[in-house]
Amino acid sequence: MIACRQHVTCSTCRGGYPECYLEQLSSNTSMKSSIACFCGNGGKVLAECGGFMYLGNSIQDVDGTEYSMAGVLDVATSMKHRKLHLGYRKIKVQDEELIGHEFHYSSLVTSNVPTIGGITNIRDEVVPVKLTKHVVFWRPTFTFTLGQTRILMCFGIG
């Protein structure tokens, strides 16, 4: 994906199905090291769904086996108890409210990444999804400024 080079400032870590390739992703230490180096040196990564999972510490498969991932974000995700997370979501950060859509089967097992806002379903019921400024989902209409930081919104995983 990316070598640890100073002239690269932004990269993407797209979605997909990392649960289908956990052994290969986990054993690719050069890729994981490059991503960690890139992020550790201030590189920005636009990540969505499976990309978010890959940036975390680990992913647990359907049998409960845990595979190490890039370790950029202090989160662990799981496919063990597959549950469909689906629906419209309202994101509230400061005075901004955005509406988007969530769809995934993975679950957030642990997270030590601070949240920056709240998420509810369309009926204003709280949903167990973390909203962070560390991982982003590319939708030009989902951008706003929080202080001096331009944020591209992400629902991450629940």
Side-chain angles (χ1 to χ4, degrees), residues 18-36:
E19 65 273 17
C20 297
Y21 307 99
L22 290 173
E23 192 171 312
Q24 296 92 326
L25 291 169
S26 182
S27 64
N28 191 344
T29 56
S30 65
M31 173 74 89
K32 294 189 304 185
S33 295
S34 292
I35 292 171

Side-chain angles (χ1 to χ4, degrees):
M1 179 176 141
I2 35 182
C4 195
R5 298 186 181 144
Q6 292 179 337
H7 67 277
V8 176
T9 59
C10 186
S11 184
T12 61
C13 199
R14 304 294 298 222
Y17 298 92
E19 65 273 17
C20 297
Y21 307 99
L22 290 173
E23 192 171 312
Q24 296 92 326
L25 291 169
S26 182
S27 64
N28 191 344
T29 56
S30 65
M31 173 74 89
K32 294 189 304 185
S33 295
S34 292
I35 292 171
C37 178
F38 176 75
C39 292
N41 286 312
K44 305 293 185 239
V45 177
L46 303 178
E48 65 156 316
C49 202
F52 175 91
M53 295 169 70
Y54 184 64
L55 291 178
N57 292 324
S58 65
I59 300 175
Q60 193 179 68
D61 69 11
V62 294
D63 298 319
T65 304
E66 196 168 307
Y67 294 85
S68 68
M69 293 294 130
V72 173
L73 296 172
D74 193 8
V75 299
T77 57
S78 177
M79 297 299 294
K80 185 173 181 180
H81 303 290
R82 282 179 53 112
K83 179 183 180 220
L84 179 60
H85 302 269
L86 174 68
Y88 290 105
R89 301 294 183 247
K90 291 182 183 179
I91 300 170
K92 295 175 185 166
V93 179
Q94 292 182 344
D95 295 330
E96 297 284 337
E97 181 177 275
L98 303 167
I99 297 176
H101 189 266
E102 176 183 28
F103 173 85
H104 58 87
Y105 288 96
S106 55
S107 293
L108 188 61
V109 178
T110 60
S111 175
N112 292 309
V113 177
T115 61
I116 61 167
I119 299 180
T120 62
N121 63 21
I122 206 69
R123 294 178 301 277
D124 290 321
E125 300 164 335
V126 175
V127 293
V129 176
K130 289 195 169 230
L131 175 65
T132 74
K133 68 176 182 178
H134 298 93
V135 182
V136 294
F137 178 78
W138 179 251
R139 289 270 188 219
T141 58
F142 277 17
T143 63
F144 67 97
T145 302
L146 179 62
Q148 297 296 315
T149 306
R150 186 91 172 139
I151 299 176
L152 304 167
M153 297 313 298
C154 158
F155 292 115
I157 55 174

